[in-house]
Amino acid sequence: MTLDLSLSTKQSLDLSPTRTRTLEVVDKSNRLKSTSLGGKMVAEYWDNIFTAKERGKHVVWYNGTALNPIFQAAGLEWCHGEAFSARLAAMHLEGPAQQAGEEYGYIAELCSYARTHLGCAVMTQKGITEKQSGIVGMVDQDQLASKLPSPDFFVNAYAGCSTGQQWDAMTYRVFGKDFPIFNVSLPMIWGNKKDSGYLRGTEWEKTPLYVEEQLKKLIEFIEYQTKKPFDWDALSENMSYIKRASELRLEAMALCAAAPTPATYWDWVASIAPINFLPANQLLVDYFQAVKDEIQQRIVNNISAVQNERYRVYFDGIMNWNKLGFLTRKFAEFDVAVVAGRYTHDSFWQEPQLIDLDRPLLGMAQHYLICPINHGLKIMEELLLKRCDEYAIDGIAFHSTRTCRAMTNPQHILARTAERDRGIKSFSFEGDVADAAFYKDESLESGLVAMLESIDQQRAKV
Amino acid sequence: MHELESVAFSVLETVAADPVGYAVEWKRRTGRPVVGSFPMNFPSEIVHATGALPVIVQESRTPITEGRSLLPEFYCSYTRSVADQAAVGELDVFDAFVLADHCVQLLGAADVIRWAKPEKPMHFAQFISSMDDPWSGAQVRDKVASLRVEVEEIVGVTVTPEALRASIRAFNVNRHLLRRFYELRKTGRLRVSARQLQVLVKSSMVMEITEHTELLESILSGLELPSEPPDSLVRLHLSGHFCAPPRPELLDLIEECGVLVVNDDLYHGTRYISTDVPEDGDPFDALATWYLDRNVSAPCGTRVQRNVDWDSYLVDSLDDSGADGVITLMAKFCEPLMLYYPELRKVLDARDIPVLLIETEHEGLAAESIRTRVETFVERIRRQKLKVPTLA
């Protein structure tokens, strides 16, 4: 018998990349429309920052918690390092900054927020030097990463991650130690006393007072830098907007306990920038009112955020900014509604009742301390189970965030706790906040499918 | 380099190789508690003053097994090892744990211990890491007071000022003796390997301090110090490696390449023994002062201080020791060192001081690859030293 090879030899080889041959997947996600306004607000905010020097404004670079109401009241322009790194990554423009950081000597395993932002610092510093020397270089290119105005001073207020404080100590050095720096020290809420817990116990009562005192000193520092008296009334007013925006945000989040959910974790991710660092004003309140209104309308009209919602998942881990749209579609593809997450639901003014407009600094201090990476394990277990109960969670996606040890710290144990105490299944996938190189799609997909099968088996037993 | 070889040194060598074994034996012998602490700034004196044994928990040489499912792979070797030791029961000898540093990875490991050994007290008094703020001193004093309460509760003994003063003196004496070895090495009068010096410091982190001091005195009294190092050896400074000691075989490998290690700023080295606790005044305040002073006498990349720099300290240290270059030993995933390293390199490059970065891991040592790099580095230094000045 002879083999007939004519058929195969006549076929042309398909050398196109595998990806192009993947069947087009229908997007089953249904994102909120109102959050697009937030995108415009954020873009305008950064455009405004880029012209700060031309307008003769003082610029503060800061990292960590949301000090912006203080900066706003002081008439400053503020650049949040993580926010800018996240924005670059979300726009897939992080490359030049990360390359600048790499050339400076930062190793790829270092926090990618820090690496990106330090790269920006290197580029901005290089820009200062080039302007002084008259050399036209990177700063004149239309690269977003090089547009940050140089700081007049730095403020660091990093909770729960030792890297955060050291990161700014290095930024300070990259700029030749030419600019003043102020450090707010935020102790971890360790939660090991007998009376300890979320928002309770002697540790909780005592620690914010220490931070409040530092915030007073911060304001003295800002007064010295700006040579202007601080506007305390403006701070109270700013916090009134923050408080109202936060209340609306939480009310809207609570509506998402409905099944199917009218909005998802990805919508709340898109709303992080507004609540985290945009100016506190009526626009901010209007934004969250619009988000809440849309969610309410969706409930009335029975509109789901994910077509055919079959699984409700909690997202633990910091956001993978390179993959926001991709992950939104990816989870929806598997009928998964990611309804809540540690990053979105346990951060960013999430306890507005703590804000006292007559004593705003205390409420701010308290919020800075309840950053979701600033708790010991016991409190994190408490919060995770609370959220799982509130949102009727079936499973947990742990984003094993390669260069963010702070967010990854307790994940293996939290997974065991959820399984032990609630029978909730989970999986981990690899990725990173601002470095796409660490994301592995196969890791996500295989883990997700395995978890969903476990959930199906669990349901079949009931 | 055999000047240290003695019975006393072999005892220290055994302790350094098996810290938990020593703690078990000490506990059996004395019937008193053993309290584990973590790098790099816990004041062991306060535990010692209760009669308990303070032991700085060391990275274990055993491969990481159970710990792999408790902390991610991208944590430093020390924290992953601590998590593993907790999970497999290697830390059972400890009656409690105390820590003062807030390295994000270390806190992850501490949480694993809390989870794996819920019955063991685990106290955390977070020392402020911003060292020169107006409130820094008060904060550290407050945390020392908090440590005192916790340690007293753990051991069931009140820490009297007198007992604490005695412990401070004991630790100061021990540090002084250890520094003597370093000074002799720097002058070249003592031919001692980096491995041997590591044994001296590491064992001091584990042993009852007066017992350790007696052995150090015994070794010192037996030393013969006539020799000078051969000129052909390249003099190097070892930098970096917080928390855990570099593997001894790595130190051997470096020295096999024609290197004389004359100084270091390793935690298991100069950094650990750099600073004494003041012996006058209130002893509890003195512990706070020690913490703040320490970052001045041996600046650390994990601290924030505007008027102090690790890089300038390093350059001064090189001037002092006459080192020709620097090998930076970076434990993989150590963020403080990853952050600071470019600043070190920038300053060393500006001074034309050769620097070599070696990344280390818990398991495995790419010995031949590292050997090639070190040999090349040494050759580069030799050529640089031989460089003929160009004519103007």
Side-chain angles (χ1 to χ4, degrees), chain B residues 164-215:
Chain B
L164 184 56
R165 276 194 199 95
S167 295
I168 286 170
R169 276 194 298 276
F171 275 80
N172 281 347
V173 166
N174 189 264
R175 280 186 285 259
H176 172 77
L177 290 174
L178 285 168
R179 286 200 296 271
R180 181 79 184 127
F181 286 93
Y182 275 80
E183 286 156 10
L184 288 170
R185 174 176 75 166
K186 204 159 53 186
T187 64
R189 294 184 61 215
L190 176 64
R191 300 283 304 281
V192 58
S193 68
R195 172 196 280 262
Q196 288 173 318
L197 273 186
Q198 184 188 95
V199 165
L200 299 186
V201 176
K202 186 178 176 186
S203 56
S204 81
M205 297 173 171
V206 175
M207 285 185 84
E208 205 293 320
I209 205 71
T210 53
E211 192 181 343
H212 190 263
T213 294
E214 285 171 17
L215 292 168

Side-chain angles (χ1 to χ4, degrees), chain A residues 394-410:
Chain A
D394 301 309
I396 304 171
F398 285 100
H399 177 207
S400 187
T401 318
R402 175 70 176 217
T403 70
C404 182
R405 280 91 186 167
M407 210 67 175
T408 315
N409 249 344

Side-chain angles (χ1 to χ4, degrees), chain B residues 1-2 4 9 13 16 181-182 185 190-202 236-239 245-256 259-266 268-270 327 329:
Chain B
M1 295 191 187
H2 298 294
L4 294 192
F9 183 76
E13 213 167 17
F181 286 93
Y182 275 80
R185 174 176 75 166
L190 176 64
R191 300 283 304 281
V192 58
S193 68
R195 172 196 280 262
Q196 288 173 318
L197 273 186
Q198 184 188 95
V199 165
L200 299 186
V201 176
K202 186 178 176 186
L236 286 187
H237 178 108
L238 296 184
S239 179
R247 295 164 75 102
E249 53 269 39
L250 173 61
L251 301 176
D252 292 347
L253 186 158
I254 289 170
E255 291 180 319
E256 285 163 14
V259 161
L260 186 69
V261 175
V262 288
N263 204 359
D264 66 59
D265 57 56
L266 308 172
H268 284 71
T270 301
I327 293 183
L329 300 172

Side-chain angles (χ1 to χ4, degrees), chain A residues 82 85-87 89-92 113 269-270 272-273 318-325 343 399 432-434:
Chain A
E82 294 150 292
S85 299
R87 179 165 174 76
M91 298 171 77
H92 304 287
Y113 273 167
V269 168
I272 284 175
I318 205 160
M319 188 51 209
N320 187 328
W321 289 103
N322 302 92
K323 299 286 174 189
L324 176 55
Y343 191 44
H399 177 207
D432 194 24
V433 284

Side-chain angles (χ1 to χ4, degrees), chain A residues 51 54 123 146 154 159 224 227 229 312 385 406 419 434 445:
Chain A
T51 62
E54 293 159 27
M123 293 168 84
S146 64
F154 302 98
Y224 179 79
K227 308 287 185 277
R312 295 170 69 83
L385 295 176
E419 170 87 43
E445 188 160 321

Side-chain angles (χ1 to χ4, degrees), chain A residues 104 109 111 162-163 165-166 173 177 181 188 190 192-193 210 376-377 402 405 409 412-413 416, chain B residues 69 74-75 104 108 111 114-115 122 126 128-129 139 150 302 306 308-309 333 335 340 343 346:
Chain A
Y104 193 78
E109 296 290 351
C111 164
S162 53
T163 302
Q165 196 174 52
Q166 288 149 18
R173 283 167 169 77
K177 299 199 283 186
I181 183 166
M188 171 166 267
W190 184 236
N192 227 30
K193 303 283 185 194
Y210 163 56
L377 177 65
R402 175 70 176 217
R405 280 91 186 167
N409 249 344
H412 289 322
I413 299 175
R416 294 180 192 214
Chain B
S69 65
F74 45 84
Y75 275 52
V104 63
D111 262 341
R114 281 206 286 183
W115 176 83
M122 161 70 82
Q126 182 177 332
I128 187 170
S129 56
Q139 262 302 298
E150 294 292 334
T302 65
R306 279 151 283 210
V308 159
D309 294 301
F333 307 119
E335 287 202 304
Y340 215 117
E343 299 306 310
K346 191 167 65 177

Side-chain angles (χ1 to χ4, degrees), chain B residues 108-365:
Chain B
D111 262 341
V112 169
I113 297 176
R114 281 206 286 183
W115 176 83
K117 303 287 172 195
E119 73 285 1
K120 307 266 185 185
M122 161 70 82
H123 183 60
F124 177 36
Q126 182 177 332
F127 279 4
I128 187 170
S129 56
S130 183
M131 310 296 273
D132 53 354
D133 287 323
W135 49 85
S136 299
Q139 262 302 298
V140 186
R141 280 193 290 278
D142 182 53
K143 294 302 174 187
V144 169
S146 152
L147 276 178
R148 176 187 183 176
V149 171
E150 294 292 334
V151 168
E152 286 177 343
E153 193 174 297
I154 289 165
V155 185
V157 172
T158 301
V159 181
T160 65
E162 294 72 28
L164 184 56
R165 276 194 199 95
S167 295
I168 286 170
R169 276 194 298 276
F171 275 80
N172 281 347
V173 166
N174 189 264
R175 280 186 285 259
H176 172 77
L177 290 174
L178 285 168
R179 286 200 296 271
R180 181 79 184 127
F181 286 93
Y182 275 80
E183 286 156 10
L184 288 170
R185 174 176 75 166
K186 204 159 53 186
T187 64
R189 294 184 61 215
L190 176 64
R191 300 283 304 281
V192 58
S193 68
R195 172 196 280 262
Q196 288 173 318
L197 273 186
Q198 184 188 95
V199 165
L200 299 186
V201 176
K202 186 178 176 186
S203 56
S204 81
M205 297 173 171
V206 175
M207 285 185 84
E208 205 293 320
I209 205 71
T210 53
E211 192 181 343
H212 190 263
T213 294
E214 285 171 17
L215 292 168
L216 287 184
E217 285 170 338
S218 164
I219 296 168
L220 269 173
S221 66
L223 287 180
E224 294 175 11
L225 303 169
S227 63
E228 291 291 333
D231 290 340
S232 59
L233 292 179
V234 165
R235 296 165 67 87
L236 286 187
H237 178 108
L238 296 184
S239 179
H241 241 267
F242 304 143
C243 299
R247 295 164 75 102
E249 53 269 39
L250 173 61
L251 301 176
D252 292 347
L253 186 158
I254 289 170
E255 291 180 319
E256 285 163 14
C257 297
V259 161
L260 186 69
V261 175
V262 288
N263 204 359
D264 66 59
D265 57 56
L266 308 172
Y267 176 60
H268 284 71
T270 301
R271 190 175 297 288
Y272 182 70
I273 59 173
S274 66
T275 313
D276 288 335
V277 182
E279 293 187 23
D280 51 350
D282 180 86
F284 298 97
D285 284 351
L287 294 182
T289 303
W290 164 80
Y291 170 68
L292 297 169
D293 286 350
R294 210 169 184 223
N295 200 55
V296 177
S297 53
C300 181
T302 65
R303 308 290 110 174
V304 174
Q305 191 162 351
R306 279 151 283 210
N307 58 351
V308 159
D309 294 301
W310 183 13
D311 38 356
S312 51
Y313 158 81
L314 180 55
V315 170
D316 291 345
S317 171
L318 291 167
D319 287 343
D320 181 47
S321 67
D324 303 306
V326 176
I327 293 183
T328 299
L329 300 172
M330 182 187 288
K332 195 168 184 182
F333 307 119
C334 174
E335 287 202 304
L337 195 41
M338 283 194 274
L339 273 168
Y340 215 117
Y341 178 69
E343 299 306 310
L344 296 179
R345 198 185 67 177
K346 191 167 65 177
V347 169
L348 294 172
D349 284 351
R351 304 283 186 109
D352 209 17
I353 299 167
V355 58
L356 175 69
L357 175 67
I358 296 175
E359 204 173 42
T360 67
E361 297 184 63
H362 179 72
E363 283 155 29
L365 177 72

